[in-house]
């Protein structure tokens, strides 16, 4: 693993601590901010493009150049009805989201552009993770409801994210093209109407190992003509998957594909496009970035720096980023980079011109805007057609989603708000449940349970009566990963915990154990484990073998937790979703409402202090 520079490490940790989740899908995905490239930033102060000064009027350029608009989203994650807080620049907007509102704002932006510039040169694009890690109104319908919403919102071009591989790329391709589900599909899926999205998928750096070509006939790029006042030009759209894809979905779903270098792939196809007379290029890429404290940083910035070295004359004018679920709007060299949060809470609107003489972008601007609620912006009417898709999906899954399975203490939500030591209440509730279910009479028996932060996707939010519904539980654990009990030595457990501290974007929630850690300035990892004990204080011996509940995802090294790979499997508990639901039911039967655990499982020990060990050992100075 690569170490994370100190400045970016602070950035990553700072964005993880709030977790910015109010409902639906969490804002922190399984990202990897590996290097510390930076770019300049743009300020987004306006709630809608109707207020944006430079978007209000025609200019002299309208007479000589061709006006174009690119409307983009990323990481929708099946968020048909998801709402939450949108943090855009220094502004905070409450209750943003839902596809009905998103559709309305896309329509508003496009209509404004058409009115001002008398142009129909608008393209709607998305940058991956359309589906996966989604609420029940998408996941229970095999995400076909989300495909219907994307069709209703008239998205034309998209690329692949890591979650398009969750159920295997063949399944994603099925729903993309509106094909019937297999005979073994759930009745909800069997009865859902099939419609193609009419979206073209472009991906330049995913190829099948057997053919060295993109799967399912996907193209690395598309060319589209634009025209105005009798003049024409071309725009190229390149799609890009994140380079670390192989570390994220289930291994069986990516084993047949090669993931090529991002910058090298852009450079290759930019040159091809250039030879075809295309000198205005848009990249839609499922690669992470964030604008924060006056800097734009993350892998996207590093990719563009590398691209500019490989191909200094490249024509990439706009880069629509994704994966980290953060706000971004900045310049990296000559390229505008944007990212619009996640789950339909925001969108980006890029406007500018293509010169018919040079074929290049000129005067390209981009801004990110919130998807405001009807209460906060009553003048924008919700798109009834798209809202009806979400309403229909809710109705179809309602009988299952609304079944009450338990309750929380005092009707309180159990949240993903994360401490400085990277503990959060809902994550620890999940692993507490896994350990409890493993140790029920007749169970597999386990000493500990551990899960990656990316496997826990939402707060646990009870209904108005303080009851936990099946849908609320499924929003927390939507993947259906298989839980396994594996055998690990104490040393392997310590190695897994230490792997959190190579890249703080990936961390563990633990049950049945506690540990003390300290920082390691200048080392390959920014912290290390000093001491591990069971919950009752019994030391964990490095040579002793223990039984640990983990998901099949991290058992294959997912999220770069390689210490779990090849550990012997002793049995399976079932899917994480089913186990969590059963745990809530068991607590209800025992009349024990769920309560947020106390965050005392990861204890920080400052460098230069004395660590107290068990009485059989002498105190040790922490260096």
């Amino acid at each position: 693993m690569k170490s994370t520079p100190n400045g970016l490490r602070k950035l990553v940790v700072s964005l993880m601590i709030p977790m910015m989740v109010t409902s639906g899908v969490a804002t922190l995905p399984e990202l990897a901010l590996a290097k510390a490239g930076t770019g300049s930033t743009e300020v987004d102060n306006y709630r809608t493009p109707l207020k944006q000064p430079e978007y209000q009027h025609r200019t002299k350029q309208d007479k000589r150049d061709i006006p174009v608009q690119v409307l983009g989203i990323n990481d929708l994650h099946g968020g048909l009805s998801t709402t939450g807080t949108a943090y855009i620049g220094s502004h905070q907007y409450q209750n943003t989201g839902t596809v009905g509102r998103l559709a309305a704002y896309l329509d508003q932006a496009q209509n404004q552009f058409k009115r001002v510039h008398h142009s129909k040169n608008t393209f709607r694009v998305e940058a991956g993770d359309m589906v996966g890690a989604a609420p029940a109104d998408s996941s229970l319908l095999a995400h076909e409801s989300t495909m219907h919403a994307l069709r209703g919102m008239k998205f034309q071009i998209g690329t692949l994210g890591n979650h398009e591989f969750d159920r295997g790329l063949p399944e994603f391709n099925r729903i993309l093209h509106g094909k019937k589900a297999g005979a073994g599909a759930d009745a909800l899926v069997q009865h859902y109407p099939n419609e193609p999205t009419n979206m073209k998928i472009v991906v330049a750096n995913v190829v099948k190992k057997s053919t060295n070509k993109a799967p399912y006939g996907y193209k690395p790029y598309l060319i589209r003509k634009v025209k105005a006042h009798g003049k024409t030009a071309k725009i190229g759209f390149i799609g890009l998957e994140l380079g670390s894809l192989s570390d994220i979905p289930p291994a069986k779903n990516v084993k047949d594909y090669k993931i090529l270098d991002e910058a090298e792939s852009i450079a290759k196809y930019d040159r091809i496009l250039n030879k075809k007379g295309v000198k205005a290029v848009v990249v839609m890429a499922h690669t992470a970035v964030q604008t924060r404290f006056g800097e734009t940083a993350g892998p996207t910035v590093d990719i563009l720096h590398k691209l500019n070295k490989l191909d200094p004359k490249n024509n990439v004018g706009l880069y629509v980023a994704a994966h980290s679920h953060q706000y971004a709007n900045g310049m990296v060299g000559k390229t505008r980079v944007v990212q619009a949060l996640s789950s339909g809470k925001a969108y980006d609107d890029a406007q500018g011109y293509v010169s018919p003489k040079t074929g290049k972008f000129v005067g390209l601007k981009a801004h990110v805007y919130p998807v405001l609620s009807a209460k906060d912006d009553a003048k924008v009417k919700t798109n009834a057609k798209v809202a009806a898709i979400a309403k229909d999906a809710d109705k179809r899954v309602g009988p299952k989603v609304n079944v009450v399975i338990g309750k929380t203490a005092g009707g309180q939500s159990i949240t993903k708000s994360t401490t400085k030591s990277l503990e959060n209440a809902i994550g620890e509730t999940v692993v507490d449940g896994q350990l409890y279910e493993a140790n029920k009479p007749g169970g597999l028996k386990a000493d500990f349970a551990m899960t990656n932060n990316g496997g826990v996707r939402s707060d646990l939010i009870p209904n108005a009566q303080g009851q936990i519904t099946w849908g609320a539980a499924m929003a927390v654990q939507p993947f259906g990963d298989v839980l396994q009990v594996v055998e690990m030595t104490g040393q392997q457990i310590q190695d897994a915990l230490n792997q959190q501290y190579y890249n703080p974007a990936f961390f563990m929630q633990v049950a049945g154990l506690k540990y003390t850690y300290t920082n390691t300035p200048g080392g390959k990892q920014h912290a290390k484990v000093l001491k591990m004990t069971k919950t009752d204080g019994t030391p964990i011996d490095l040579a002793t073998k223990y039984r640990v509940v983990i998901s099949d995802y991290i058992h294959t090294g997912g999220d770069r937790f390689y210490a779990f790979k090849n550990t012997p499997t002793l049995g399976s508990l079932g899917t994480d979703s089913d186990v969590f639901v059963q745990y809530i039911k068991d607590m209800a039967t025992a009349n024990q409402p769920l309560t947020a655990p106390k965050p005392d499982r990861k204890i920080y020990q400052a460098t230069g202090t004395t660590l107290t060990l068990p009485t059989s050992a002498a105190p040790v100075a922490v260096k």
Side-chain angles (χ1 to χ4, degrees):
M1 293 185 185
K2 298 179 181 178
S3 61
T4 307
N6 289 334
L8 186 57
R9 182 178 306 134
K10 292 177 182 177
L11 166 67
V12 177
V13 172
S14 68
L15 71 89
M16 287 194 301
I17 289 173
M19 287 305 217
M20 298 179 189
V21 179
T22 56
S23 69
V25 182
T27 59
L28 182 72
E30 45 289 277
L31 76 157
L33 294 178
K35 299 180 182 178
T38 58
S40 62
T41 63
E42 180 66 68
V43 176
D44 283 318
N45 289 323
Y46 298 96
R47 305 199 318 167
T48 76
L50 298 183
K51 301 291 185 181
Q52 195 72 47
E54 63 266 41
Y55 287 176
Q56 303 305 307
H57 307 289
R58 287 170 61 85
T59 69
K60 293 180 180 179
Q61 281 185 274
D62 284 87
K63 294 182 179 181
R64 65 176 184 266
D65 296 324
I66 301 172
V68 295
Q69 179 187 46
V70 178
L71 296 172
I73 64 167
N74 56 276
D75 299 280
L76 181 59
H77 286 291
L80 302 179
S81 304
T82 299
T83 59
T85 304
Y87 296 87
I88 298 175
S90 60
H91 300 274
Q92 177 177 322
Y93 304 95
Q94 303 291 341
N95 303 314
T96 60
T98 78
V99 289
R101 298 298 294 171
L102 173 60
Y105 277 103
L106 294 173
D107 291 342
Q108 180 195 65
Q110 183 167 346
N111 290 337
Q112 180 213 32
F113 174 77
K114 182 179 179 181
R115 183 177 65 253
V116 171
H117 297 285
H118 310 301
S119 172
K120 296 181 180 180
N121 298 320
T122 293
F123 301 93
R124 298 191 182 193
V125 305
E126 72 79 37
D129 277 7
M130 295 167 262
V131 298
D137 56 359
S138 181
S139 59
L140 286 182
L141 297 170
H143 303 299
E144 294 196 64
S145 49
T146 296
M147 295 293 103
H148 283 219
L150 289 165
R151 175 189 171 107
M153 290 186 283
K154 301 181 178 66
F155 278 93
Q156 299 149 286
I157 310 172
T159 195
L160 301 175
N162 51 286
H163 283 288
E164 273 69 48
F165 290 81
D166 281 354
R167 303 186 184 195
L169 202 54
E171 171 64 3
F172 170 73
N173 195 62
R174 179 190 73 80
I175 63 174
L176 176 73
H177 294 294
K179 303 297 183 181
K180 284 190 174 183
D186 185 89
L188 284 171
V189 178
Q190 293 282 4
H191 294 142
Y192 197 78
N194 306 114
E195 285 185 351
T197 62
N198 297 328
M199 189 190 316
K200 301 294 185 183
I201 296 296
V202 289
V203 59
N205 64 330
V206 177
V207 296
K208 294 191 72 173
K209 292 177 180 178
S210 59
T211 65
N212 223 35
K213 295 181 180 179
Y216 297 105
Y218 302 154
K219 304 298 183 184
Y221 63 85
L222 288 176
I223 298 173
R224 292 292 183 261
K225 288 185 178 180
V226 292
K227 58 184 179 179
H229 40 74
K231 300 175 182 178
T232 62
K234 300 175 182 177
I235 299 180
F237 295 87
I238 297 174
L240 203 67
E241 178 63 90
L242 77 163
S244 59
L245 175 70
S246 299
D247 293 330
I248 302 175
K252 64 182 180 180
N253 292 345
V254 293
K255 64 180 178 61
D256 295 331
Y257 305 103
K258 287 192 294 186
I259 313 303
L260 309 178
D261 182 86
E262 300 105 314
E264 292 174 5
S265 297
I266 299 173
K268 173 181 176 179
Y269 291 107
D270 176 74
R271 293 187 183 109
I272 290 173
L273 286 166
N274 192 44
K275 290 179 180 178
K276 292 178 177 288
V278 182
K279 298 182 179 180
V281 176
V282 176
V283 172
M284 298 92 64
H286 201 72
T287 61
V289 72
Q290 183 188 25
T291 295
R292 189 177 175 88
F293 303 133
E295 290 187 344
T296 299
T300 290
V301 178
D302 302 318
I303 290 165
L304 286 170
H305 284 325
K306 183 175 180 179
L307 170 65
N308 290 333
K309 290 181 180 179
L310 292 171
D311 183 12
K313 295 182 179 180
N314 74 78
N315 294 306
V316 178
L318 177 66
Y319 193 114
V320 181
H323 191 51
S324 50
H325 295 197
Q326 302 299 320
Y327 160 74
N329 192 355
M331 288 293 293
V332 181
K334 57 193 171 185
T335 304
R336 173 67 61 188
V337 176
V338 289
Q339 184 181 200
L341 306 176
S342 68
S343 302
K345 295 193 290 290
Y347 65 99
D348 34 78
D349 180 357
Q351 298 184 22
Y353 302 88
V354 178
S355 168
K357 289 185 177 181
T358 66
K360 295 187 177 184
F361 281 123
V362 288
L364 186 64
K365 303 288 186 181
H367 295 283
V368 179
Y369 300 104
V371 174
L372 299 171
S373 68
K375 179 180 178 181
D376 290 333
D377 189 359
K379 291 182 179 180
V380 173
K381 301 302 180 185
T382 301
N383 184 303
K385 178 181 177 181
V386 177
I389 295 170
K391 185 176 181 180
D392 173 71
D394 288 337
K395 182 178 179 180
R396 289 173 185 266
V397 303
K400 188 169 186 178
V401 167
N402 296 323
V403 171
V404 173
I405 59 173
K407 58 184 178 180
T408 63
Q412 298 297 306
S413 295
I414 302 179
T415 75
K416 286 194 68 176
S417 179
T418 304
T419 67
K420 291 182 179 180
S421 62
L422 302 181
E423 291 186 70
N424 65 64
I426 187 55
E428 292 184 344
T429 301
V430 164
V431 286
D432 283 349
Q434 293 172 359
L435 191 59
Y436 177 90
E437 293 300 313
N439 287 316
K440 285 167 63 173
L444 287 170
K445 305 299 180 185
D447 300 291
F448 316 118
M450 304 171 73
T451 192
N452 58 312
N453 61 295
V456 182
R457 302 301 292 197
S458 172
D459 298 352
L460 180 62
I461 304 173
N463 62 20
Q465 291 73 44
Q467 300 166 322
I468 304 169
T469 63
W470 182 92
M474 290 297 291
V476 174
Q477 290 259 271
F479 293 113
D481 290 340
V482 175
L483 293 178
Q484 301 168 331
V485 177
V486 300
E487 189 175 71
M488 301 179 71
T489 65
Q491 182 65 63
Q492 288 173 315
I493 293 169
Q494 181 169 292
D495 291 344
L497 295 174
N498 275 325
Q499 283 172 353
Q500 300 174 101
Y501 302 119
Y502 284 93
N503 188 334
F506 305 127
F507 55 95
M508 282 284 158
Q509 301 299 285
V510 300
L513 67 87
K514 295 184 177 183
Y515 68 90
T516 304
Y517 70 99
T518 192
N519 57 300
T520 55
K524 289 184 178 180
Q525 59 189 73
H526 64 87
K528 65 179 180 181
V529 174
L530 297 172
K531 180 183 70 170
M532 303 180 296
T533 71
K534 294 183 177 182
T535 302
D536 63 6
T538 304
I540 295 175
D541 182 74
L542 299 183
T544 299
K545 293 180 179 179
Y546 299 93
R547 298 165 73 102
V548 187
V549 182
I550 61 172
S551 70
D552 59 347
Y553 172 65
I554 59 173
H555 195 206
T556 59
D559 281 3
R560 304 181 186 180
F561 286 108
Y562 303 122
F564 295 111
K565 291 187 72 172
N566 303 318
T567 53
T569 302
L570 304 177
S572 170
L573 296 179
T575 68
D576 54 6
S577 312
D578 290 344
V579 167
F580 188 51
V581 167
Q582 187 59 51
Y583 173 61
I584 295 171
K585 290 180 177 179
D586 287 344
M587 292 300 98
T589 299
N591 197 26
Q592 296 181 21
L594 292 191
T595 303
K598 182 180 178 181
D600 61 356
R601 303 178 189 187
K602 302 179 180 182
I603 304 160
Y604 175 70
Q605 182 79 21
T607 302
T609 61
T610 299
L611 173 65
T612 302
L613 297 174
T615 54
S616 58
V620 175
V622 179
K623 298 179 180 180

